[in-house]
PDB file of all heavy atoms in Angstrom:
ATOM      1  N   GLY Q   9     105.717 104.326 105.116  1.00  0.00           N
ATOM      2  CA  GLY Q   9     106.953 104.612 104.263  1.00  0.00           C
ATOM      3  C   GLY Q   9     107.986 105.346 105.022  1.00  0.00           C
ATOM      4  O   GLY Q   9     107.620 105.816 106.127  1.00  0.00           O
ATOM      5  N   GLU Q  16     117.908  96.689 105.031  1.00  0.00           N
ATOM      6  CA  GLU Q  16     116.941  96.907 106.178  1.00  0.00           C
ATOM      7  C   GLU Q  16     115.573  96.531 105.703  1.00  0.00           C
ATOM      8  O   GLU Q  16     115.206  96.236 104.600  1.00  0.00           O
ATOM      9  CB  GLU Q  16     117.020  98.274 106.721  1.00  0.00           C
ATOM     10  CG  GLU Q  16     118.292  98.620 107.419  1.00  0.00           C
ATOM     11  CD  GLU Q  16     118.504  99.895 108.052  1.00  0.00           C
ATOM     12  OE1 GLU Q  16     117.632 100.830 107.713  1.00  0.00           O
ATOM     13  OE2 GLU Q  16     119.487 100.219 108.857  1.00  0.00           O
ATOM     14  N   PHE Q  47     103.643  96.461  89.190  1.00  0.00           N
ATOM     15  CA  PHE Q  47     102.934  95.596  90.041  1.00  0.00           C
ATOM     16  C   PHE Q  47     103.885  95.079  91.072  1.00  0.00           C
ATOM     17  O   PHE Q  47     105.020  94.661  90.660  1.00  0.00           O
ATOM     18  CB  PHE Q  47     102.236  94.478  89.309  1.00  0.00           C
ATOM     19  CG  PHE Q  47     101.644  93.398  90.261  1.00  0.00           C
ATOM     20  CD1 PHE Q  47     100.534  93.657  90.849  1.00  0.00           C
ATOM     21  CD2 PHE Q  47     102.250  92.292  90.427  1.00  0.00           C
ATOM     22  CE1 PHE Q  47      99.932  92.730  91.683  1.00  0.00           C
ATOM     23  CE2 PHE Q  47     101.733  91.214  91.252  1.00  0.00           C
ATOM     24  CZ  PHE Q  47     100.662  91.469  91.875  1.00  0.00           C
ATOM     25  N   VAL Q  48     103.617  95.111  92.374  1.00  0.00           N
ATOM     26  CA  VAL Q  48     104.384  94.615  93.451  1.00  0.00           C
ATOM     27  C   VAL Q  48     103.833  93.357  94.051  1.00  0.00           C
ATOM     28  O   VAL Q  48     104.488  92.313  94.104  1.00  0.00           O
ATOM     29  CB  VAL Q  48     104.609  95.642  94.527  1.00  0.00           C
ATOM     30  CG1 VAL Q  48     105.526  95.185  95.621  1.00  0.00           C
ATOM     31  CG2 VAL Q  48     105.270  96.878  93.969  1.00  0.00           C
ATOM     32  N   THR Q  56      93.877  84.125 100.693  1.00  0.00           N
ATOM     33  CA  THR Q  56      94.411  82.782 100.425  1.00  0.00           C
ATOM     34  C   THR Q  56      95.256  82.751  99.084  1.00  0.00           C
ATOM     35  O   THR Q  56      95.968  81.814  98.927  1.00  0.00           O
ATOM     36  CB  THR Q  56      93.267  81.740 100.304  1.00  0.00           C
ATOM     37  OG1 THR Q  56      92.299  82.103  99.377  1.00  0.00           O
ATOM     38  CG2 THR Q  56      92.564  81.629 101.628  1.00  0.00           C
ATOM     39  N   SER Q  63     110.481  91.223  90.530  1.00  0.00           N
ATOM     40  CA  SER Q  63     111.449  91.933  91.155  1.00  0.00           C
ATOM     41  C   SER Q  63     111.484  91.934  92.690  1.00  0.00           C
ATOM     42  O   SER Q  63     112.550  92.192  93.272  1.00  0.00           O
ATOM     43  CB  SER Q  63     111.488  93.453  90.726  1.00  0.00           C
ATOM     44  OG  SER Q  63     110.271  94.086  91.116  1.00  0.00           O
ATOM     45  N   GLY Q  66     110.376  86.696  96.841  1.00  0.00           N
ATOM     46  CA  GLY Q  66     111.362  86.180  97.885  1.00  0.00           C
ATOM     47  C   GLY Q  66     111.764  87.187  98.956  1.00  0.00           C
ATOM     48  O   GLY Q  66     112.431  86.815  99.898  1.00  0.00           O
ATOM     49  N   ILE Q  70     103.053  89.922 101.127  1.00  0.00           N
ATOM     50  CA  ILE Q  70     101.755  90.552 101.383  1.00  0.00           C
ATOM     51  C   ILE Q  70     100.950  89.780 102.340  1.00  0.00           C
ATOM     52  O   ILE Q  70     100.875  88.473 102.282  1.00  0.00           O
ATOM     53  CB  ILE Q  70     101.016  90.808 100.039  1.00  0.00           C
ATOM     54  CG1 ILE Q  70      99.851  91.691 100.338  1.00  0.00           C
ATOM     55  CG2 ILE Q  70     100.673  89.502  99.393  1.00  0.00           C
ATOM     56  CD1 ILE Q  70      99.217  92.210  99.006  1.00  0.00           C
ATOM     57  N   ILE Q  79      95.548  95.613 104.577  1.00  0.00           N
ATOM     58  CA  ILE Q  79      96.658  94.786 104.055  1.00  0.00           C
ATOM     59  C   ILE Q  79      97.910  95.343 104.433  1.00  0.00           C
ATOM     60  O   ILE Q  79      98.142  96.530 104.700  1.00  0.00           O
ATOM     61  CB  ILE Q  79      96.576  94.668 102.472  1.00  0.00           C
ATOM     62  CG1 ILE Q  79      96.701  96.022 101.779  1.00  0.00           C
ATOM     63  CG2 ILE Q  79      95.206  93.956 102.163  1.00  0.00           C
ATOM     64  CD1 ILE Q  79      96.885  95.895 100.314  1.00  0.00           C
ATOM     65  N   LEU Q  81     102.425  95.059 103.550  1.00  0.00           N
ATOM     66  CA  LEU Q  81     103.460  94.682 102.738  1.00  0.00           C
ATOM     67  C   LEU Q  81     104.743  94.697 103.635  1.00  0.00           C
ATOM     68  O   LEU Q  81     105.256  95.888 103.916  1.00  0.00           O
ATOM     69  CB  LEU Q  81     103.695  95.665 101.563  1.00  0.00           C
ATOM     70  CG  LEU Q  81     104.709  95.171 100.511  1.00  0.00           C
ATOM     71  CD1 LEU Q  81     104.216  93.924  99.802  1.00  0.00           C
ATOM     72  CD2 LEU Q  81     104.937  96.391  99.471  1.00  0.00           C
ATOM     73  N   ASP Q  84     111.628  93.131 103.046  1.00  0.00           N
ATOM     74  CA  ASP Q  84     112.860  92.728 103.627  1.00  0.00           C
ATOM     75  C   ASP Q  84     113.967  92.810 102.661  1.00  0.00           C
ATOM     76  O   ASP Q  84     113.679  92.798 101.465  1.00  0.00           O
ATOM     77  CB  ASP Q  84     112.803  91.317 104.131  1.00  0.00           C
ATOM     78  CG  ASP Q  84     111.751  91.176 105.394  1.00  0.00           C
ATOM     79  OD1 ASP Q  84     111.688  92.100 106.095  1.00  0.00           O
ATOM     80  OD2 ASP Q  84     111.184  90.106 105.483  1.00  0.00           O
ATOM     81  N   LEU Q  86     115.827  95.221 101.598  1.00  0.00           N
ATOM     82  CA  LEU Q  86     115.500  96.340 100.657  1.00  0.00           C
ATOM     83  C   LEU Q  86     116.733  96.677  99.915  1.00  0.00           C
ATOM     84  O   LEU Q  86     117.863  96.715 100.424  1.00  0.00           O
ATOM     85  CB  LEU Q  86     114.965  97.470 101.427  1.00  0.00           C
ATOM     86  CG  LEU Q  86     113.465  97.393 101.758  1.00  0.00           C
ATOM     87  CD1 LEU Q  86     113.051  98.362 102.830  1.00  0.00           C
ATOM     88  CD2 LEU Q  86     112.593  97.582 100.518  1.00  0.00           C
ATOM     89  N   GLU Q  89     117.066  99.983  94.334  1.00  0.00           N
ATOM     90  CA  GLU Q  89     116.135  99.965  93.312  1.00  0.00           C
ATOM     91  C   GLU Q  89     114.658  99.875  93.728  1.00  0.00           C
ATOM     92  O   GLU Q  89     113.754  99.920  92.924  1.00  0.00           O
ATOM     93  CB  GLU Q  89     116.479  98.874  92.187  1.00  0.00           C
ATOM     94  CG  GLU Q  89     116.647  97.479  92.849  1.00  0.00           C
ATOM     95  CD  GLU Q  89     118.093  97.165  93.114  1.00  0.00           C
ATOM     96  OE1 GLU Q  89     118.822  98.054  93.541  1.00  0.00           O
ATOM     97  OE2 GLU Q  89     118.526  96.063  92.793  1.00  0.00           O
ATOM     98  N   ARG Q 108      93.921  98.397  84.991  1.00  0.00           N
ATOM     99  CA  ARG Q 108      92.830  97.643  85.398  1.00  0.00           C
ATOM    100  C   ARG Q 108      92.434  97.877  86.925  1.00  0.00           C
ATOM    101  O   ARG Q 108      91.546  97.379  87.364  1.00  0.00           O
ATOM    102  CB  ARG Q 108      92.978  96.174  85.174  1.00  0.00           C
ATOM    103  CG  ARG Q 108      92.920  95.872  83.710  1.00  0.00           C
ATOM    104  CD  ARG Q 108      92.870  94.351  83.378  1.00  0.00           C
ATOM    105  NE  ARG Q 108      92.831  94.149  81.929  1.00  0.00           N
ATOM    106  CZ  ARG Q 108      91.744  94.081  81.181  1.00  0.00           C
ATOM    107  NH1 ARG Q 108      90.568  94.343  81.793  1.00  0.00           N
ATOM    108  NH2 ARG Q 108      91.801  93.877  79.927  1.00  0.00           N
ATOM    109  N   VAL Q 120     115.478 103.966  99.785  1.00  0.00           N
ATOM    110  CA  VAL Q 120     116.514 103.039 100.174  1.00  0.00           C
ATOM    111  C   VAL Q 120     117.797 103.512  99.702  1.00  0.00           C
ATOM    112  O   VAL Q 120     118.094 103.674  98.573  1.00  0.00           O
ATOM    113  CB  VAL Q 120     116.219 101.583  99.636  1.00  0.00           C
ATOM    114  CG1 VAL Q 120     117.298 100.608 100.265  1.00  0.00           C
ATOM    115  CG2 VAL Q 120     114.812 101.133  99.995  1.00  0.00           C
TER     116      VAL Q 120
END
Side-chain angles (χ1 to χ4, degrees):
E16 296 182 343
F47 174 76
V48 176
T56 58
S63 62
I70 189 170
I79 62 168
L81 185 67
D84 297 323
L86 283 163
E89 52 262 43
R108 294 189 177 273
V120 184

